[in-house]
Tab-separated table of all heavy atoms in Angstrom:
chain	number	residue	atom	x	y	z
A	1	GLU	N	8.562	24.239	-11.920
A	1	GLU	CA	9.421	24.589	-13.050
A	1	GLU	C	10.720	23.841	-12.988
A	1	GLU	O	11.456	23.678	-14.043
A	1	GLU	CB	9.651	26.037	-13.134
A	1	GLU	CG	8.465	26.857	-13.452
A	1	GLU	CD	8.563	28.349	-13.296
A	1	GLU	OE1	9.448	28.758	-12.493
A	1	GLU	OE2	7.817	29.059	-13.853
A	2	ASN	N	11.133	23.257	-11.791
A	2	ASN	CA	12.416	22.507	-11.740
A	2	ASN	C	12.183	20.966	-11.814
A	2	ASN	O	13.105	20.265	-11.743
A	2	ASN	CB	13.003	22.840	-10.355
A	2	ASN	CG	13.425	24.291	-10.232
A	2	ASN	OD1	13.973	24.874	-11.171
A	2	ASN	ND2	13.130	24.897	-9.078
A	3	CYS	N	10.901	20.543	-11.953
A	3	CYS	CA	10.672	19.055	-11.996
A	3	CYS	C	10.668	18.663	-13.499
A	3	CYS	O	10.132	19.224	-14.320
A	3	CYS	CB	9.236	18.818	-11.380
A	3	CYS	SG	8.746	17.055	-11.381
A	4	LYS	N	11.317	17.402	-13.624
A	4	LYS	CA	11.422	16.812	-14.995
A	4	LYS	C	10.386	15.810	-15.292
A	4	LYS	O	10.553	15.043	-16.303
A	4	LYS	CB	12.921	16.344	-15.264
A	4	LYS	CG	13.926	17.369	-15.172
A	4	LYS	CD	15.301	16.857	-15.378
A	4	LYS	CE	16.412	18.002	-15.558
A	4	LYS	NZ	16.476	18.897	-14.412
A	5	CYS	N	9.476	15.562	-14.488
A	5	CYS	CA	8.485	14.547	-14.691
A	5	CYS	C	7.657	14.951	-15.986
A	5	CYS	O	7.461	16.078	-16.280
A	5	CYS	CB	7.558	14.314	-13.515
A	5	CYS	SG	6.173	15.581	-13.308
A	6	SER	N	7.017	13.881	-16.494
A	6	SER	CA	6.255	14.134	-17.750
A	6	SER	C	5.085	15.079	-17.672
A	6	SER	O	4.756	15.828	-18.551
A	6	SER	CB	5.692	12.754	-18.270
A	6	SER	OG	4.977	12.071	-17.330
A	7	THR	N	4.514	15.124	-16.384
A	7	THR	CA	3.462	16.088	-16.066
A	7	THR	C	3.889	17.500	-16.212
A	7	THR	O	3.264	18.326	-16.887
A	7	THR	CB	2.711	15.830	-14.778
A	7	THR	OG1	2.281	14.435	-14.843
A	7	THR	CG2	1.590	16.698	-14.494
A	8	CYS	N	4.991	17.774	-15.527
A	8	CYS	CA	5.540	19.209	-15.474
A	8	CYS	C	6.048	19.520	-16.801
A	8	CYS	O	6.106	20.784	-17.150
A	8	CYS	CB	6.586	19.214	-14.436
A	8	CYS	SG	5.866	19.189	-12.730
A	9	GLN	N	6.590	18.648	-17.611
A	9	GLN	CA	7.090	18.849	-18.936
A	9	GLN	C	6.097	19.170	-19.975
A	9	GLN	O	6.423	19.813	-20.993
A	9	GLN	CB	8.026	17.679	-19.383
A	9	GLN	CG	9.264	17.548	-18.580
A	9	GLN	CD	10.232	18.695	-18.469
A	9	GLN	OE1	10.678	19.163	-19.587
A	9	GLN	NE2	10.544	19.200	-17.336
A	10	THR	N	4.875	18.664	-19.730
A	10	THR	CA	3.921	18.777	-20.856
A	10	THR	C	2.562	19.582	-20.452
A	10	THR	O	1.821	19.860	-21.390
A	10	THR	CB	3.459	17.398	-21.336
A	10	THR	OG1	3.053	16.579	-20.234
A	10	THR	CG2	4.675	16.746	-22.031
A	11	HIS	N	2.276	19.786	-19.220
A	11	HIS	CA	1.026	20.365	-18.822
A	11	HIS	C	1.200	21.540	-17.943
A	11	HIS	O	2.103	21.654	-17.126
A	11	HIS	CB	0.125	19.296	-18.177
A	11	HIS	CG	-0.223	18.173	-19.115
A	11	HIS	ND1	-1.015	18.303	-20.195
A	11	HIS	CD2	0.133	16.878	-19.103
A	11	HIS	CE1	-1.059	17.126	-20.813
A	11	HIS	NE2	-0.413	16.251	-20.110
A	12	THR	N	0.259	22.441	-17.940
A	12	THR	CA	0.260	23.620	-17.074
A	12	THR	C	-0.770	23.505	-15.936
A	12	THR	O	-1.532	22.622	-15.960
A	12	THR	CB	-0.180	24.933	-17.924
A	12	THR	OG1	-1.537	24.800	-18.331
A	12	THR	CG2	0.729	25.107	-19.131
A	13	ARG	N	-0.543	24.325	-14.950
A	13	ARG	CA	-1.490	24.347	-13.851
A	13	ARG	C	-2.929	24.601	-14.274
A	13	ARG	O	-3.835	24.212	-13.786
A	13	ARG	CB	-0.998	25.404	-12.723
A	13	ARG	CG	0.341	25.106	-12.220
A	13	ARG	CD	0.688	26.227	-11.205
A	13	ARG	NE	2.040	25.836	-10.591
A	13	ARG	CZ	2.525	26.603	-9.571
A	13	ARG	NH1	1.848	27.780	-9.050
A	13	ARG	NH2	3.618	26.296	-8.980
A	14	ALA	N	-2.995	25.513	-15.209
A	14	ALA	CA	-4.270	25.896	-15.790
A	14	ALA	C	-5.002	24.739	-16.397
A	14	ALA	O	-6.254	24.517	-16.165
A	14	ALA	CB	-4.109	27.109	-16.793
A	15	PHE	N	-4.252	23.987	-17.272
A	15	PHE	CA	-4.894	22.711	-17.827
A	15	PHE	C	-5.320	21.828	-16.725
A	15	PHE	O	-6.419	21.213	-16.813
A	15	PHE	CB	-3.876	22.031	-18.765
A	15	PHE	CG	-4.355	20.720	-19.289
A	15	PHE	CD1	-5.332	20.584	-20.179
A	15	PHE	CD2	-3.801	19.578	-18.813
A	15	PHE	CE1	-5.797	19.366	-20.622
A	15	PHE	CE2	-4.241	18.271	-19.205
A	15	PHE	CZ	-5.233	18.223	-20.086
A	16	LEU	N	-4.435	21.526	-15.815
A	16	LEU	CA	-4.761	20.564	-14.740
A	16	LEU	C	-5.891	21.034	-13.916
A	16	LEU	O	-6.865	20.220	-13.453
A	16	LEU	CB	-3.553	20.319	-13.786
A	16	LEU	CG	-2.322	19.712	-14.513
A	16	LEU	CD1	-1.090	19.823	-13.714
A	16	LEU	CD2	-2.649	18.240	-14.786
A	17	HIS	N	-6.022	22.352	-13.749
A	17	HIS	CA	-7.171	22.944	-13.012
A	17	HIS	C	-8.441	22.644	-13.789
A	17	HIS	O	-9.508	22.348	-13.270
A	17	HIS	CB	-7.058	24.415	-12.851
A	17	HIS	CG	-8.270	25.125	-12.454
A	17	HIS	ND1	-8.746	25.156	-11.109
A	17	HIS	CD2	-9.215	25.852	-13.174
A	17	HIS	CE1	-9.906	25.779	-11.016
A	17	HIS	NE2	-10.190	26.299	-12.281
A	18	SER	N	-8.337	22.773	-15.106
A	18	SER	CA	-9.619	22.692	-15.943
A	18	SER	C	-10.187	21.223	-15.942
A	18	SER	O	-11.343	21.025	-16.194
A	18	SER	CB	-9.298	23.152	-17.416
A	18	SER	OG	-8.497	22.145	-18.112
A	19	ILE	N	-9.266	20.279	-15.661
A	19	ILE	CA	-9.793	18.885	-15.675
A	19	ILE	C	-9.851	18.206	-14.266
A	19	ILE	O	-10.367	17.109	-14.181
A	19	ILE	CB	-8.945	17.977	-16.565
A	19	ILE	CG1	-7.448	17.907	-15.981
A	19	ILE	CG2	-8.915	18.453	-18.053
A	19	ILE	CD1	-6.528	16.847	-16.693
A	20	ALA	N	-9.377	18.982	-13.343
A	20	ALA	CA	-9.249	18.367	-11.920
A	20	ALA	C	-10.611	17.947	-11.339
A	20	ALA	O	-10.517	16.952	-10.457
A	20	ALA	CB	-8.608	19.312	-11.028
A	21	ASN	N	-11.639	18.589	-11.756
A	21	ASN	CA	-12.962	18.265	-11.081
A	21	ASN	C	-13.738	17.119	-11.742
A	21	ASN	O	-14.575	16.591	-11.100
A	21	ASN	CB	-13.800	19.503	-11.048
A	21	ASN	CG	-13.322	20.443	-10.015
A	21	ASN	OD1	-13.152	20.072	-8.917
A	21	ASN	ND2	-13.196	21.682	-10.389
A	22	GLN	N	-13.425	16.823	-13.026
A	22	GLN	CA	-14.188	15.826	-13.765
A	22	GLN	C	-13.422	14.753	-14.498
A	22	GLN	O	-14.019	13.755	-14.793
A	22	GLN	CB	-15.190	16.549	-14.717
A	22	GLN	CG	-14.492	17.351	-15.911
A	22	GLN	CD	-14.181	18.746	-15.574
A	22	GLN	OE1	-14.356	19.225	-14.410
A	22	GLN	NE2	-13.758	19.598	-16.485
A	23	GLU	N	-12.109	14.975	-14.738
A	23	GLU	CA	-11.504	13.855	-15.595
A	23	GLU	C	-10.557	12.995	-14.756
A	23	GLU	O	-9.725	13.523	-13.951
A	23	GLU	CB	-10.638	14.638	-16.687
A	23	GLU	CG	-11.457	15.414	-17.702
A	23	GLU	CD	-12.320	14.590	-18.548
A	23	GLU	OE1	-12.005	13.361	-18.644
A	23	GLU	OE2	-13.242	15.081	-19.162
A	24	THR	N	-10.662	11.737	-14.877
A	24	THR	CA	-9.830	10.839	-14.127
A	24	THR	C	-8.351	10.846	-14.488
A	24	THR	O	-7.499	10.586	-13.705
A	24	THR	CB	-10.222	9.316	-14.303
A	24	THR	OG1	-10.339	9.003	-15.679
A	24	THR	CG2	-11.627	9.051	-13.735
A	25	VAL	N	-8.064	11.373	-15.726
A	25	VAL	CA	-6.731	11.556	-16.133
A	25	VAL	C	-5.918	12.545	-15.216
A	25	VAL	O	-4.703	12.540	-15.109
A	25	VAL	CB	-6.577	11.964	-17.697
A	25	VAL	CG1	-7.015	13.368	-17.911
A	25	VAL	CG2	-5.193	11.675	-18.176
A	26	ALA	N	-6.746	13.459	-14.731
A	26	ALA	CA	-6.031	14.461	-13.761
A	26	ALA	C	-5.403	13.764	-12.621
A	26	ALA	O	-4.335	14.130	-12.164
A	26	ALA	CB	-7.117	15.475	-13.240
A	27	CYS	N	-6.107	12.786	-12.027
A	27	CYS	CA	-5.565	11.968	-10.988
A	27	CYS	C	-4.268	11.303	-11.367
A	27	CYS	O	-3.297	11.252	-10.620
A	27	CYS	CB	-6.593	10.920	-10.423
A	27	CYS	SG	-5.828	9.620	-9.478
A	28	HIS	N	-4.278	10.729	-12.574
A	28	HIS	CA	-3.006	10.045	-13.137
A	28	HIS	C	-1.860	11.095	-13.213
A	28	HIS	O	-0.830	10.808	-12.767
A	28	HIS	CB	-3.403	9.457	-14.535
A	28	HIS	CG	-2.217	9.138	-15.375
A	28	HIS	ND1	-1.381	8.048	-15.131
A	28	HIS	CD2	-1.580	9.855	-16.371
A	28	HIS	CE1	-0.396	8.057	-16.028
A	28	HIS	NE2	-0.464	9.136	-16.775
A	29	LEU	N	-2.158	12.285	-13.799
A	29	LEU	CA	-1.127	13.200	-14.096
A	29	LEU	C	-0.510	13.742	-12.710
A	29	LEU	O	0.657	13.905	-12.644
A	29	LEU	CB	-1.680	14.483	-14.911
A	29	LEU	CG	-2.045	14.041	-16.314
A	29	LEU	CD1	-2.774	15.209	-17.057
A	29	LEU	CD2	-0.712	13.641	-17.123
A	30	LEU	N	-1.368	13.998	-11.736
A	30	LEU	CA	-0.911	14.446	-10.473
A	30	LEU	C	-0.214	13.362	-9.702
A	30	LEU	O	0.813	13.647	-8.969
A	30	LEU	CB	-2.148	15.039	-9.638
A	30	LEU	CG	-2.672	16.233	-10.103
A	30	LEU	CD1	-3.958	16.704	-9.286
A	30	LEU	CD2	-1.697	17.412	-10.164
A	31	THR	N	-0.617	12.152	-9.809
A	31	THR	CA	0.070	11.060	-9.116
A	31	THR	C	1.453	10.926	-9.720
A	31	THR	O	2.382	10.738	-8.958
A	31	THR	CB	-0.702	9.695	-9.409
A	31	THR	OG1	-2.003	9.825	-8.796
A	31	THR	CG2	0.056	8.553	-8.733
A	32	VAL	N	1.623	10.982	-11.013
A	32	VAL	CA	2.983	10.996	-11.701
A	32	VAL	C	3.921	11.998	-11.017
A	32	VAL	O	5.098	11.834	-10.599
A	32	VAL	CB	2.937	11.179	-13.221
A	32	VAL	CG1	4.314	11.415	-13.775
A	32	VAL	CG2	2.268	9.910	-13.859
A	33	HIS	N	3.371	13.238	-10.869
A	33	HIS	CA	4.131	14.351	-10.345
A	33	HIS	C	4.468	14.082	-8.901
A	33	HIS	O	5.634	14.277	-8.443
A	33	HIS	CB	3.498	15.712	-10.409
A	33	HIS	CG	4.155	16.745	-9.673
A	33	HIS	ND1	5.492	17.328	-9.967
A	33	HIS	CD2	3.880	17.223	-8.440
A	33	HIS	CE1	5.822	18.077	-9.093
A	33	HIS	NE2	4.943	18.146	-8.056
A	34	ASN	N	3.485	13.695	-8.124
A	34	ASN	CA	3.831	13.531	-6.708
A	34	ASN	C	4.688	12.406	-6.384
A	34	ASN	O	5.574	12.554	-5.452
A	34	ASN	CB	2.429	13.264	-6.013
A	34	ASN	CG	1.545	14.493	-5.821
A	34	ASN	OD1	1.977	15.610	-6.209
A	34	ASN	ND2	0.322	14.412	-5.347
A	35	ILE	N	4.707	11.334	-7.196
A	35	ILE	CA	5.634	10.196	-6.919
A	35	ILE	C	7.039	10.756	-7.410
A	35	ILE	O	8.032	10.421	-6.719
A	35	ILE	CB	5.264	8.950	-7.777
A	35	ILE	CG1	3.963	8.330	-7.186
A	35	ILE	CG2	6.373	7.994	-7.750
A	35	ILE	CD1	4.143	7.845	-5.806
A	36	ALA	N	7.097	11.503	-8.525
A	36	ALA	CA	8.389	12.020	-8.917
A	36	ALA	C	8.939	12.983	-7.849
A	36	ALA	O	10.132	13.037	-7.482
A	36	ALA	CB	8.184	12.802	-10.316
A	37	PHE	N	8.046	13.717	-7.236
A	37	PHE	CA	8.510	14.691	-6.097
A	37	PHE	C	9.145	13.935	-4.997
A	37	PHE	O	10.222	14.253	-4.528
A	37	PHE	CB	7.304	15.490	-5.542
A	37	PHE	CG	7.582	16.309	-4.403
A	37	PHE	CD1	8.251	17.565	-4.493
A	37	PHE	CD2	7.448	15.817	-3.100
A	37	PHE	CE1	8.510	18.276	-3.320
A	37	PHE	CE2	7.713	16.513	-1.955
A	37	PHE	CZ	8.324	17.792	-2.120
A	38	GLN	N	8.536	12.830	-4.578
A	38	GLN	CA	9.113	12.015	-3.496
A	38	GLN	C	10.466	11.355	-3.889
A	38	GLN	O	11.357	11.395	-3.119
A	38	GLN	CB	8.114	10.858	-3.157
A	38	GLN	CG	6.723	11.322	-2.654
A	38	GLN	CD	6.721	11.994	-1.315
A	38	GLN	OE1	6.749	13.136	-1.127
A	38	GLN	NE2	6.727	11.132	-0.225
A	39	MET	N	10.464	10.831	-5.076
A	39	MET	CA	11.686	10.218	-5.590
A	39	MET	C	12.855	11.243	-5.624
A	39	MET	O	14.041	11.051	-5.284
A	39	MET	CB	11.463	9.595	-7.005
A	39	MET	CG	10.559	8.370	-7.053
A	39	MET	SD	10.872	7.086	-5.987
A	39	MET	CE	9.580	7.235	-4.696
A	40	ASN	N	12.597	12.468	-6.096
A	40	ASN	CA	13.559	13.518	-6.261
A	40	ASN	C	14.051	13.992	-4.932
A	40	ASN	O	15.255	14.249	-4.597
A	40	ASN	CB	12.939	14.798	-7.030
A	40	ASN	CG	12.764	14.397	-8.500
A	40	ASN	OD1	13.449	13.535	-9.116
A	40	ASN	ND2	11.865	15.208	-9.064
A	41	LEU	N	13.149	14.093	-3.894
A	41	LEU	CA	13.526	14.441	-2.542
A	41	LEU	C	14.426	13.399	-1.955
A	41	LEU	O	15.488	13.827	-1.378
A	41	LEU	CB	12.262	14.562	-1.695
A	41	LEU	CG	12.479	14.827	-0.155
A	41	LEU	CD1	13.251	16.104	0.002
A	41	LEU	CD2	11.172	14.796	0.560
A	42	MET	N	14.144	12.140	-2.149
A	42	MET	CA	14.994	11.125	-1.523
A	42	MET	C	16.346	11.119	-2.141
A	42	MET	O	17.393	10.881	-1.573
A	42	MET	CB	14.346	9.722	-1.536
A	42	MET	CG	12.956	9.720	-0.913
A	42	MET	SD	12.914	10.411	0.736
A	42	MET	CE	13.993	9.321	1.629
A	43	ARG	N	16.376	11.307	-3.497
A	43	ARG	CA	17.560	11.338	-4.207
A	43	ARG	C	18.504	12.509	-3.707
A	43	ARG	O	19.707	12.290	-3.582
A	43	ARG	CB	17.341	11.549	-5.744
A	43	ARG	CG	18.596	11.316	-6.599
A	43	ARG	CD	18.251	11.464	-8.042
A	43	ARG	NE	17.247	10.519	-8.445
A	43	ARG	CZ	16.072	10.785	-8.845
A	43	ARG	NH1	15.631	12.080	-8.863
A	43	ARG	NH2	15.082	9.962	-9.204
A	44	SER	N	17.870	13.652	-3.497
A	44	SER	CA	18.612	14.763	-3.011
A	44	SER	C	19.224	14.548	-1.581
A	44	SER	O	20.362	14.993	-1.310
A	44	SER	CB	17.647	16.014	-2.978
A	44	SER	OG	17.309	16.391	-4.262
């Protein structure tokens, strides 16, 4: 809820769960968040 990345701003955990097993876009959305997490940590 504190992350400002596009994934967190537009998608829920439920949606990501629903596509995580079969859609390649799930990998893209999670990668965006995980890179944002690392960048935010280093900025802090």
Side-chain angles (χ1 to χ4, degrees):
E1 291 168 341
N2 297 316
C3 180
K4 293 181 173 60
C5 80
S6 57
T7 301
C8 289
Q9 293 299 307
T10 53
H11 298 294
T12 65
R13 296 178 179 188
F15 171 73
L16 294 167
H17 167 79
S18 73
I19 64 171
N21 286 309
Q22 64 267 8
E23 299 290 343
T24 54
V25 72
C27 163
H28 162 77
L29 293 170
L30 290 176
T31 299
V32 168
H33 168 75
N34 286 356
I35 295 295
F37 172 85
Q38 299 288 100
M39 297 301 107
N40 291 336
L41 173 63
M42 302 315 293
R43 190 179 302 111
S44 297

